[in-house]
Each structure stands twice: as structure tokens, then as C-alpha cells.
Amino acid sequence: MRYSTKLIGTAIILATVTACGGQSMATAPAGSPSPSSSPSVKPQYQAPAGSIPVPAAKLDPAALPREFPREVYTSDGGKVLVVRAEEGGCQHALGEAVEQTPQHVVIDLSETKAQTGQMCTMDLRHPVITVPLTAPLGDRTVVLKQSSPR
């Protein structure tokens, strides 16, 4: 009887590990099609080569939670912001320029909503995402804010 119990327990653990191991944790950059509609894209954790850090004096992260990353770079002549975001489990980071004035650019950071009933890990990741601008950043301040998952 003991042997049967161990055998059944081992089979259940193996089935669980096999089912969870096959799930993909791909992330698509902001503005890209969702991972389910396109080939998997590996999350990017380093700013692209040639990116230029936005000086701390030109960042306003006051609306972000204290533990949220505060890392922003410019790329493509200042027309693209590369922002360190936060995501976890089955959610994927999103970023959008919601306001662009001559004085500042407001970047809204959020995540996709996890599907109901889907098993997700409880990990926390900090990928970089790209946010296109209508004009180069120049001397404008980057205001970072966070909204609820979409």
C-alpha cells in the first residue's frame, strides 16, 4: 500500500511539473501584437546599445510606488523612450505616452491582465519596454506614472 501511495504521489508531481514547464513567459514590446498572436519574443532586460540615460533631474517618478524602477533612456535620436518597467506572473509590461507637451512627456506604465483561471508564477521581472514619441524628447521632463492592469 505504501508503494502505491508513493507511486501515485510521484505521478501527480510529475504531471504538474510537466504541465507548468511547457508554459511560455514571452514578452512583447509596447505596441507589438500580443504573444498569442505572434511568435514568442524574449523579454529584453538591457537597454539597447547606444541608448542614452535620461538625467535624474529630467525624471519625475513621484507618482510611482517607492519600489518601482526609475530608469529611462532615449534611443533613435530621442524619438523613443526605453523605460525599465515592472511585470510579474502571467502579466506583461505596457507603456504609453499619454501626454506630450513642450515641457514634459507623461508615460503611463501598466500591465496586461492575467487570464482568469490561468496558473501563473509569483515572480517579479523588470524588463525594458519602448515607448515612441511624436517628437524627440529634447529638454522635456519625463513624468512616470502607473495605472492598473489593462
Side-chain angles (χ1 to χ4, degrees):
M1 184 68 174
R2 252 188 195 166
Y3 178 74
S4 297
T5 304
K6 286 182 182 178
L7 185 61
I8 291 170
T10 303
I12 290 171
I13 291 171
L14 256 169
T16 303
V17 168
T18 303
C20 292
Q23 293 189 7
S24 170
M25 289 195 276
T27 300
S32 296
S34 68
S36 61
S37 65
S38 67
S40 293
V41 176
K42 290 181 83 177
Q44 184 175 344
Y45 293 101
Q46 300 299 320
S51 296
I52 301 167
V54 173
K58 289 292 182 181
L59 281 181
D60 179 359
L64 291 178
R66 192 182 61 178
E67 67 280 353
F68 206 93
R70 287 151 165 75
E71 206 176 308
V72 181
Y73 302 86
T74 59
S75 183
D76 194 22
K79 295 181 206 167
V80 174
L81 292 181
V82 180
V83 182
R84 175 82 53 198
E86 184 173 279
E87 65 184 21
C90 297
Q91 297 175 311
H92 301 289
L94 300 171
E96 179 183 9
V98 293
E99 184 179 335
Q100 298 185 52
T101 71
Q103 294 77 32
H104 65 265
V105 173
V106 178
I107 304 298
D108 181 29
L109 300 168
S110 65
E111 295 177 290
T112 58
K113 284 186 180 179
Q115 295 177 353
T116 305
Q118 181 180 8
M119 289 183 62
C120 298
T121 60
M122 294 295 291
D123 63 323
L124 190 61
R125 299 176 300 274
H126 294 106
V128 292
I129 57 173
T130 57
V131 179
L133 301 177
T134 56
L137 181 63
D139 289 332
R140 296 185 286 174
T141 298
V142 178
V143 179
L144 300 173
K145 70 176 201 160
Q146 183 186 31
S147 62
S148 300
R150 302 181 211 177

